[in-house]
Protein backbone atom coordinates (compact mmCIF):
# COMPACT_ATOMS: atom_id res chain seq x y z
CA UNK A 1 0.00 0.00 0.00
CA UNK A 2 2.82 2.42 0.89
CA UNK A 3 4.49 1.83 -2.45
CA UNK A 4 1.26 2.33 -4.33
CA UNK A 5 0.49 5.57 -2.51
CA UNK A 6 4.01 6.82 -3.12
CA UNK A 7 3.73 6.07 -6.83
CA UNK A 8 0.41 7.89 -6.95
CA UNK A 9 2.02 10.94 -5.32
CA UNK A 10 4.83 10.88 -7.87
CA UNK A 11 2.31 10.78 -10.72
CA UNK A 12 0.03 13.56 -9.49
CA UNK A 13 1.65 16.27 -11.68
CA UNK A 14 0.79 14.25 -14.80
CA UNK A 15 -2.10 15.36 -16.94
CA UNK A 16 -5.05 13.29 -15.75
CA UNK A 17 -6.65 13.20 -19.20
CA UNK A 18 -6.23 9.94 -21.01
CA UNK A 19 -4.78 11.56 -24.08
CA UNK A 20 -2.35 13.54 -21.89
CA UNK A 21 -0.72 10.39 -20.51
CA UNK A 22 1.90 8.95 -22.84
CA UNK A 23 1.84 5.30 -21.70
CA UNK A 24 5.10 4.39 -23.44
CA UNK A 25 6.99 7.27 -21.85
CA UNK A 26 5.23 6.68 -18.52
CA UNK A 27 6.10 2.98 -18.34
CA UNK A 28 9.61 3.02 -19.77
CA UNK A 29 10.41 6.25 -17.92
CA UNK A 30 9.94 4.42 -14.63
CA UNK A 31 11.60 1.10 -15.50
CA UNK A 32 14.34 2.49 -17.76
CA UNK A 33 17.75 3.92 -16.95
CA UNK A 34 18.56 7.65 -16.83
CA UNK A 35 21.33 10.14 -16.11
CA UNK A 36 19.46 11.50 -13.10
CA UNK A 37 17.48 10.01 -10.23
CA UNK A 38 13.98 11.47 -10.24
CA UNK A 39 12.60 11.78 -6.69
CA UNK A 40 9.26 13.58 -7.10
CA UNK A 41 7.66 16.69 -8.56
CA UNK A 42 6.85 19.70 -6.39
CA UNK A 43 4.80 22.56 -7.76
CA UNK A 44 5.26 21.33 -11.30
CA UNK A 45 9.05 21.28 -10.94
CA UNK A 46 10.85 17.91 -10.89
CA UNK A 47 13.08 17.16 -7.91
CA UNK A 48 15.96 15.01 -9.11
CA UNK A 49 19.46 13.98 -8.07
CA UNK A 50 21.91 14.79 -10.89
CA UNK A 51 24.48 12.09 -11.53
CA UNK A 52 28.01 12.32 -12.97
CA UNK A 53 28.34 11.95 -16.73
CA UNK A 54 31.66 10.36 -17.70
CA UNK A 55 32.34 10.11 -21.43
CA UNK A 56 35.34 9.81 -23.72
CA UNK A 57 35.44 11.71 -26.99
CA UNK A 58 37.71 10.60 -29.82
CA UNK A 59 38.52 14.25 -30.51
CA UNK A 60 38.76 15.84 -27.04
CA UNK A 61 39.42 13.00 -24.60
CA UNK A 62 37.72 12.42 -21.28
CA UNK A 63 34.93 14.60 -19.89
CA UNK A 64 33.27 14.45 -16.49
CA UNK A 65 30.40 16.77 -15.55
CA UNK A 66 27.02 16.81 -13.83
CA UNK A 67 23.97 15.60 -15.73
CA UNK A 68 22.23 18.78 -14.56
CA UNK A 69 24.07 20.58 -17.39
CA UNK A 70 22.11 18.49 -19.90
CA UNK A 71 18.65 19.12 -18.44
CA UNK A 72 15.78 20.34 -20.64
CA UNK A 73 17.63 19.61 -23.88
CA UNK A 74 20.72 21.57 -22.90
CA UNK A 75 24.25 20.87 -24.07
CA UNK A 76 27.69 21.06 -22.51
CA UNK A 77 31.04 20.85 -24.33
CA UNK A 78 29.14 19.71 -27.45
CA UNK A 79 27.51 16.87 -25.48
CA UNK A 80 23.75 16.47 -25.19
CA UNK A 81 21.11 13.81 -24.64
CA UNK A 82 19.65 12.47 -27.89
CA UNK A 83 15.93 13.29 -28.28
CA UNK A 84 13.08 10.83 -28.79
CA UNK A 85 13.07 9.25 -32.21
CA UNK A 86 16.84 9.37 -32.56
CA UNK A 87 18.73 6.07 -32.83
CA UNK A 88 20.60 7.04 -29.65
CA UNK A 89 17.46 8.30 -27.87
CA UNK A 90 18.06 8.93 -24.18
CA UNK A 91 21.84 8.49 -24.47
CA UNK A 92 24.61 11.10 -24.33
CA UNK A 93 25.82 12.04 -27.82
CA UNK A 94 28.51 14.39 -29.12
CA UNK A 95 28.10 16.90 -31.92
CA UNK A 96 31.32 17.11 -33.93
CA UNK A 97 32.56 20.30 -35.66
CA UNK A 98 31.27 19.03 -39.00
CA UNK A 99 27.77 18.72 -37.54
CA UNK A 100 27.69 14.94 -37.36
CA UNK A 101 26.39 13.31 -34.17
CA UNK A 102 28.25 10.35 -32.67
CA UNK A 103 27.94 8.34 -29.47
CA UNK A 104 31.07 8.61 -27.28
CA UNK A 105 32.37 5.93 -24.94
CA UNK A 106 29.99 6.28 -22.02
CA UNK A 107 30.80 5.00 -18.50
CA UNK A 108 28.51 7.41 -16.67
CA UNK A 109 27.07 6.73 -13.23
CA UNK A 110 23.43 6.32 -14.23
CA UNK A 111 20.44 5.59 -12.01
CA UNK A 112 20.89 1.83 -12.37
CA UNK A 113 24.62 2.05 -11.70
CA UNK A 114 24.08 4.09 -8.54
CA UNK A 115 21.27 1.76 -7.46
CA UNK A 116 23.55 -1.23 -8.04
CA UNK A 117 26.30 0.34 -5.92
CA UNK A 118 23.89 1.22 -3.11
CA UNK A 119 22.29 -2.23 -3.06
CA UNK A 120 25.68 -3.96 -3.16
CA UNK A 121 26.92 -1.81 -0.28
CA UNK A 122 23.75 -2.63 1.66
CA UNK A 123 24.31 -6.34 1.07
CA UNK A 124 27.90 -6.07 2.32
CA UNK A 125 26.69 -4.27 5.46
CA UNK A 126 24.08 -6.96 6.08
CA UNK A 127 26.62 -9.77 5.67
CA UNK A 128 29.21 -8.07 7.89
CA UNK A 129 26.60 -7.33 10.57
CA UNK A 130 25.55 -10.98 10.52
CA UNK A 131 29.08 -12.34 10.73
CA UNK A 132 29.78 -9.84 13.53
CA UNK A 133 27.24 -11.63 15.73
CA UNK A 134 29.02 -14.96 15.24
CA UNK A 135 32.36 -13.41 16.18
CA UNK A 136 30.92 -12.32 19.53
CA UNK A 137 28.80 -15.40 20.30
CA UNK A 138 29.24 -19.16 20.34
CA UNK A 139 26.59 -20.47 17.94
CA UNK A 140 26.85 -23.93 19.53
CA UNK A 141 25.56 -22.57 22.85
CA UNK A 142 23.40 -19.61 21.76
CA UNK A 143 20.98 -19.49 18.85
CA UNK A 144 20.79 -16.19 16.98
CA UNK A 145 17.49 -14.34 16.93
CA UNK A 146 15.92 -11.48 15.05
CA UNK A 147 17.53 -10.44 11.80
CA UNK A 148 20.64 -12.61 12.31
CA UNK A 149 18.38 -15.62 12.83
CA UNK A 150 16.55 -14.81 9.61
CA UNK A 151 19.84 -14.61 7.71
CA UNK A 152 20.98 -17.92 9.18
CA UNK A 153 17.71 -19.52 8.09
CA UNK A 154 18.10 -18.21 4.53
CA UNK A 155 21.75 -19.27 4.28
CA UNK A 156 20.96 -22.73 5.66
CA UNK A 157 18.01 -23.12 3.29
CA UNK A 158 20.01 -22.16 0.21
CA UNK A 159 23.03 -24.24 1.27
CA UNK A 160 21.20 -27.43 2.28
CA UNK A 161 18.09 -27.42 0.09
CA UNK A 162 19.57 -26.06 -3.14
CA UNK A 163 23.36 -26.09 -3.41
CA UNK A 164 24.13 -29.32 -1.55
CA UNK A 165 21.42 -31.35 -3.25
CA UNK A 166 21.96 -30.01 -6.78
CA UNK A 167 25.74 -29.66 -7.01
CA UNK A 168 26.81 -32.82 -5.21
CA UNK A 169 29.76 -33.82 -3.08
CA UNK A 170 32.01 -30.84 -3.85
CA UNK A 171 29.22 -28.28 -3.32
CA UNK A 172 31.32 -26.21 -0.88
CA UNK A 173 33.52 -25.17 -3.79
CA UNK A 174 30.59 -23.35 -5.40
CA UNK A 175 28.73 -22.18 -2.29
CA UNK A 176 30.34 -18.71 -2.16
CA UNK A 177 29.24 -17.85 -5.70
CA UNK A 178 25.76 -19.36 -5.44
CA UNK A 179 25.03 -17.76 -2.06
CA UNK A 180 26.26 -14.42 -3.40
CA UNK A 181 24.05 -14.77 -6.48
CA UNK A 182 20.98 -15.57 -4.34
CA UNK A 183 21.37 -12.65 -1.94
CA UNK A 184 22.46 -10.24 -4.68
CA UNK A 185 19.33 -10.96 -6.71
CA UNK A 186 17.10 -11.00 -3.63
CA UNK A 187 18.28 -7.64 -2.25
CA UNK A 188 18.05 -5.97 -5.65
CA UNK A 189 14.55 -7.38 -6.18
CA UNK A 190 13.43 -6.09 -2.80
CA UNK A 191 14.99 -2.65 -3.29
CA UNK A 192 13.27 -2.40 -6.66
CA UNK A 193 9.94 -2.58 -4.83
CA UNK A 194 10.77 0.39 -2.58
CA UNK A 195 9.25 3.46 -4.32
CA UNK A 196 11.52 6.15 -2.91
CA UNK A 197 15.25 6.87 -2.93
CA UNK A 198 17.47 4.85 -2.57
CA UNK A 199 15.02 2.22 -3.81
CA UNK A 200 13.07 1.97 -7.02
CA UNK A 201 15.93 1.34 -9.44
CA UNK A 202 15.11 -1.45 -11.89
CA UNK A 203 18.35 -3.40 -11.41
CA UNK A 204 17.37 -7.03 -12.01
CA UNK A 205 14.88 -5.86 -14.63
CA UNK A 206 17.86 -4.60 -16.66
CA UNK A 207 19.05 -7.21 -19.14
CA UNK A 208 22.70 -6.10 -18.79
CA UNK A 209 22.65 -7.16 -15.12
CA UNK A 210 21.01 -10.51 -15.79
CA UNK A 211 23.46 -11.06 -18.67
CA UNK A 212 26.39 -10.56 -16.28
CA UNK A 213 24.89 -13.04 -13.80
CA UNK A 214 24.26 -15.58 -16.57
CA UNK A 215 27.87 -15.23 -17.78
CA UNK A 216 29.13 -15.96 -14.24
CA UNK A 217 27.09 -19.18 -14.19
CA UNK A 218 28.27 -20.04 -17.71
CA UNK A 219 31.90 -19.69 -16.62
CA UNK A 220 31.36 -21.66 -13.41
CA UNK A 221 29.82 -24.50 -15.43
CA UNK A 222 32.26 -24.68 -18.32
CA UNK A 223 35.57 -23.71 -16.74
CA UNK A 224 35.25 -26.24 -13.93
CA UNK A 225 33.37 -29.01 -15.74
CA UNK A 226 35.05 -32.42 -15.46
CA UNK A 227 36.16 -34.76 -18.25
CA UNK A 228 32.88 -36.65 -18.23
CA UNK A 229 30.97 -33.41 -18.83
CA UNK A 230 33.06 -32.52 -21.88
CA UNK A 231 32.91 -36.10 -23.16
CA UNK A 232 29.12 -35.98 -23.07
CA UNK A 233 29.22 -32.77 -25.11
CA UNK A 234 31.89 -33.57 -27.68
CA UNK A 235 31.59 -37.40 -27.89
CA UNK A 236 28.26 -38.46 -26.31
CA UNK A 237 27.16 -42.09 -25.94
CA UNK A 238 24.98 -42.21 -29.04
CA UNK A 239 25.13 -44.24 -32.29
CA UNK A 240 28.27 -43.49 -34.27
CA UNK A 241 26.43 -41.97 -37.24
CA UNK A 242 25.06 -39.22 -34.97
CA UNK A 243 28.62 -38.40 -33.92
CA UNK A 244 29.93 -38.44 -37.46
CA UNK A 245 27.34 -35.98 -38.82
CA UNK A 246 27.99 -34.48 -36.09
CA UNK A 247 24.43 -33.81 -34.99
CA UNK A 248 24.56 -34.50 -31.26
CA UNK A 249 27.77 -32.56 -30.49
CA UNK A 250 26.31 -29.51 -32.28
CA UNK A 251 23.10 -29.79 -30.23
CA UNK A 252 25.07 -30.15 -27.00
CA UNK A 253 27.28 -27.16 -27.81
CA UNK A 254 24.20 -25.04 -28.56
CA UNK A 255 22.79 -26.21 -25.21
CA UNK A 256 25.87 -24.80 -23.47
CA UNK A 257 24.71 -21.31 -24.47
CA UNK A 258 20.94 -21.74 -24.30
CA UNK A 259 21.05 -22.65 -20.59
CA UNK A 260 22.60 -19.35 -19.41
CA UNK A 261 20.49 -17.51 -21.99
CA UNK A 262 17.34 -18.90 -20.37
CA UNK A 263 18.63 -17.78 -16.96
CA UNK A 264 19.15 -14.27 -18.29
CA UNK A 265 15.74 -13.96 -19.97
CA UNK A 266 13.76 -15.57 -17.12
CA UNK A 267 15.03 -13.20 -14.43
CA UNK A 268 14.90 -10.11 -16.66
CA UNK A 269 11.40 -10.79 -18.00
CA UNK A 270 9.78 -11.68 -14.68
CA UNK A 271 11.11 -8.66 -12.79
CA UNK A 272 10.42 -6.22 -15.62
CA UNK A 273 6.92 -7.61 -16.11
CA UNK A 274 6.15 -7.18 -12.41
CA UNK A 275 7.11 -3.50 -12.48
CA UNK A 276 5.19 -2.84 -15.69
CA UNK A 277 2.04 -4.57 -14.41
CA UNK A 278 1.94 -2.49 -11.23
CA UNK A 279 2.55 0.73 -13.16
CA UNK A 280 -0.15 -0.27 -15.62
CA UNK A 281 -2.64 -0.80 -12.79
CA UNK A 282 -1.80 2.62 -11.33
CA UNK A 283 -2.27 4.21 -14.76
CA UNK A 284 -5.93 3.16 -14.71
CA UNK A 285 -6.55 5.93 -12.17
CA UNK A 286 -5.50 8.56 -14.69
CA UNK A 287 -6.67 6.93 -17.89
CA UNK A 288 -10.27 6.90 -16.57
CA UNK A 289 -10.25 10.54 -15.46
CA UNK A 290 -12.42 11.67 -18.35
CA UNK A 291 -15.05 8.96 -17.86
CA UNK A 292 -16.74 10.86 -15.08
CA UNK A 293 -16.38 10.98 -11.32
CA UNK A 294 -18.40 7.84 -10.61
CA UNK A 295 -16.62 5.67 -13.18
CA UNK A 296 -13.20 7.06 -12.29
CA UNK A 297 -13.79 6.52 -8.56
CA UNK A 298 -15.03 2.96 -9.01
CA UNK A 299 -12.20 1.92 -11.29
CA UNK A 300 -9.65 3.72 -9.09
CA UNK A 301 -10.78 1.75 -6.03
CA UNK A 302 -10.48 -1.49 -7.99
CA UNK A 303 -7.05 -0.41 -9.27
CA UNK A 304 -5.83 0.36 -5.74
CA UNK A 305 -6.92 -2.99 -4.32
CA UNK A 306 -5.57 -4.87 -7.33
CA UNK A 307 -2.34 -2.87 -7.05
CA UNK A 308 -1.96 -3.87 -3.38
CA UNK A 309 -2.45 -7.51 -4.39
CA UNK A 310 0.16 -7.15 -7.15
CA UNK A 311 2.58 -5.53 -4.73
CA UNK A 312 2.27 -8.43 -2.29
CA UNK A 313 2.69 -10.84 -5.18
CA UNK A 314 5.85 -9.04 -6.25
CA UNK A 315 7.33 -9.62 -2.78
CA UNK A 316 6.88 -13.33 -3.40
CA UNK A 317 8.31 -13.02 -6.91
CA UNK A 318 11.39 -11.23 -5.50
CA UNK A 319 12.19 -14.31 -3.43
CA UNK A 320 11.15 -16.89 -6.01
CA UNK A 321 13.28 -15.43 -8.80
CA UNK A 322 16.37 -15.42 -6.58
CA UNK A 323 15.55 -18.99 -5.56
CA UNK A 324 14.97 -20.20 -9.14
CA UNK A 325 18.14 -18.56 -10.52
CA UNK A 326 20.24 -20.14 -7.75
CA UNK A 327 18.58 -23.53 -8.13
CA UNK A 328 19.04 -23.67 -11.93
CA UNK A 329 22.64 -22.47 -11.63
CA UNK A 330 23.25 -25.22 -9.07
CA UNK A 331 21.66 -27.81 -11.35
CA UNK A 332 23.80 -26.73 -14.32
CA UNK A 333 26.95 -26.83 -12.18
CA UNK A 334 25.96 -30.22 -10.76
CA UNK A 335 25.51 -31.62 -14.25
CA UNK A 336 29.03 -30.47 -15.15
CA UNK A 337 30.44 -32.30 -12.09
CA UNK A 338 28.76 -35.68 -12.59
CA UNK A 339 30.89 -38.81 -12.73
CA UNK A 340 30.33 -41.79 -15.06
CA UNK A 341 27.70 -44.22 -13.84
CA UNK A 342 30.28 -46.96 -13.27
CA UNK A 343 32.21 -44.73 -10.85
CA UNK A 344 29.08 -43.87 -8.85
CA UNK A 345 28.09 -47.49 -8.26
Amino acid sequence: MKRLLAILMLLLPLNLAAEGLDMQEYLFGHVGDSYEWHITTIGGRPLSIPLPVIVHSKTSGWHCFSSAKLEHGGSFDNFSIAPKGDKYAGKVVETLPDGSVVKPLDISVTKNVLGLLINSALLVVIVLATTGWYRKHDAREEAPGGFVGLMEMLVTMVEDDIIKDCVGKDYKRYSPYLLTAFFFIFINNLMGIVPFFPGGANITGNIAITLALAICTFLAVNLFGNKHYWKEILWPDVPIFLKAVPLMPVIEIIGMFTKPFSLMIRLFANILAGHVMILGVVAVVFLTAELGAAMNTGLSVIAVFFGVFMDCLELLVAFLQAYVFTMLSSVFIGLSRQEPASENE
Side-chain angles (χ1 to χ4, degrees):
M1 175 64 80
K2 291 181 179 179
R3 183 190 181 196
L4 196 60
L5 291 175
I7 292 176
L8 288 173
M9 292 177 64
L10 293 177
L11 296 177
L12 282 178
L14 290 174
N15 188 342
L16 299 184
E19 63 269 22
L21 181 60
D22 186 340
M23 282 298 295
Q24 182 176 356
E25 182 177 355
Y26 161 69
L27 292 176
F28 290 98
H30 281 80
V31 301
D33 203 1
S34 64
Y35 292 95
E36 61 180 12
W37 196 311
H38 179 76
I39 305 298
T40 186
T41 302
I42 301 176
R45 299 184 61 184
L47 176 61
S48 305
I49 300 176
L51 301 174
V53 176
I54 307 172
V55 292
H56 181 268
S57 168
K58 292 182 179 180
T59 58
S60 55
W62 287 100
H63 297 261
C64 181
F65 52 90
S66 171
S67 63
K69 298 182 181 295
L70 304 181
E71 288 182 348
H72 310 298
S75 63
F76 180 78
D77 283 350
N78 296 323
F79 294 101
S80 60
I81 296 180
K84 291 177 61 176
D86 190 270
K87 63 178 180 179
Y88 300 126
K91 301 297 183 181
V92 171
V93 294
E94 180 185 11
T95 303
L96 299 179
D98 61 1
S100 60
V101 177
V102 297
K103 188 177 182 299
L105 175 64
D106 190 351
I107 57 171
S108 303
V109 179
T110 60
K111 177 182 176 180
N112 281 348
V113 173
L114 180 59
L116 180 62
L117 294 174
I118 292 174
N119 297 345
S120 299
L122 178 60
L123 179 58
V124 170
V125 170
I126 290 174
V127 172
L128 292 179
T130 303
T131 56
W133 186 92
Y134 288 94
R135 292 194 188 99
K136 300 176 182 178
H137 302 81
D138 188 349
R140 293 171 295 183
E141 299 179 358
E142 180 181 358
F147 185 78
V148 176
L150 175 63
M151 288 295 295
E152 181 181 288
M153 180 194 72
L154 288 174
V155 171
T156 302
M157 179 203 68
V158 175
E159 180 86 1
D160 294 342
D161 297 344
I162 303 177
I163 303 175
K164 187 175 181 179
D165 290 343
C166 296
V167 175
K169 60 182 181 181
D170 57 346
Y171 71 95
K172 291 184 178 180
R173 180 180 184 182
Y174 301 94
S175 289
Y177 163 65
L178 293 169
L179 283 169
T180 300
F182 174 83
F183 284 103
F184 174 82
I185 295 172
F186 190 35
I187 194 70
N188 279 287
N189 289 350
L190 290 179
M191 289 297 288
I193 299 174
V194 178
F196 49 82
F197 182 84
N202 186 33
I203 305 299
T204 42
N206 186 311
I207 199 168
I209 301 298
T210 60
L211 172 62
L213 290 169
I215 289 175
C216 290
T217 295
F218 175 81
L219 294 176
V221 170
N222 293 286
L223 290 182
F224 304 107
N226 57 21
K227 294 181 180 178
H228 179 68
Y229 167 72
W230 286 107
K231 177 182 177 298
E232 287 299 312
I233 291 178
L234 301 177
W235 199 253
D237 294 326
V238 295
I240 191 66
F241 70 90
L242 291 177
K243 301 177 184 179
V245 172
L247 180 62
M248 291 305 297
V250 170
I251 293 176
E252 292 292 339
I253 291 173
I254 293 175
M256 290 171 52
F257 297 94
T258 56
K259 289 175 182 177
F261 180 79
S262 67
L263 284 178
M264 174 187 72
I265 295 299
R266 179 181 287 105
L267 179 59
F268 160 72
N270 279 281
I271 299 303
L272 181 62
H275 288 293
V276 171
M277 288 181 67
I278 289 182
L279 291 168
V281 170
V282 174
V284 171
V285 178
F286 308 107
L287 292 173
T288 60
E290 284 194 338
L291 299 180
M295 183 67 74
N296 181 240
T297 301
L299 291 176
S300 295
V301 171
I302 295 174
V304 168
F305 280 105
F306 191 68
V308 171
F309 169 75
M310 291 297 301
D311 226 18
C312 295
L313 184 62
E314 197 170 357
L315 286 172
L316 177 62
V317 170
F319 172 80
L320 286 179
Q321 289 306 313
Y323 185 95
V324 169
F325 185 95
T326 308
M327 180 186 67
L328 291 178
S329 295
S330 300
V331 169
F332 297 155
I333 292 173
L335 291 174
S336 73
R337 303 296 301 169
Q338 283 188 335
E339 299 295 338
S342 59
E343 297 183 15
N344 293 329
E345 296 176 353

